[in-house]
Amino acid sequence: MTAVFVLDVPENEGVVRVAEQDALLEVRKVGPYFLIALGSDGREERPSGDLGEDVGPGHTSTAEQIIIDRRATECRHAVWYSALAGLQDARVAQHDKNALRIVRR
């Protein structure tokens, strides 16, 4: 399962909110973290890789990658860049002022 962990603190509320609104993502509590993962409907069998160019504002997740639009989260830059707590079977393909893009490792 391709997933990212985000610490459950008020500062990360926007990241979790945007993930919850994305139909392709599952969000659940795991201890003191939120697990944000691609839906578990067999998509784990897809090939790994970068899967494209960096994305700008307004993009949402695809079946191959988790995409969180920073502007939609309303996070300030300092919070945005510190939101990631961990990855599961994943790697960061993009983490800049526009978006967080996670792909399968």
Side-chain angles (χ1 to χ4, degrees):
M1 172 189 302
T2 302
V4 60
F5 291 87
V6 175
L7 188 62
D8 180 11
V9 294
E11 292 83 358
N12 292 333
E13 182 179 300
V15 175
V16 175
R17 177 180 36 80
V18 169
E20 288 175 332
Q21 294 170 353
D22 192 320
L24 294 177
L25 299 179
E26 290 180 15
V27 178
R28 67 178 187 265
K29 275 287 274 171
V30 178
Y33 301 96
F34 282 100
L35 173 87
I36 300 170
L38 286 170
S40 58
D41 62 358
R43 284 186 281 238
E44 301 94 64
E45 299 305 317
R46 69 192 173 282
S48 63
D50 199 344
L51 302 171
E53 308 264 330
D54 285 356
V55 297
H59 286 78
T60 58
S61 298
T62 68
E64 294 83 26
Q65 55 192 350
I66 298 169
I67 300 174
I68 306 287
D69 177 1
R70 184 194 63 82
R71 288 179 181 92
T73 69
E74 299 179 359
C75 287
R76 297 180 62 98
H77 288 112
V79 171
W80 176 247
Y81 289 115
S82 64
L84 296 182
L87 299 170
Q88 178 178 322
D89 191 28
R91 71 178 181 82
V92 176
Q94 176 185 355
H95 193 200
D96 60 20
K97 67 179 182 175
N98 294 317
L100 169 62
R101 191 163 55 93
I102 305 291
V103 297
R104 185 172 183 198
R105 182 171 47 156

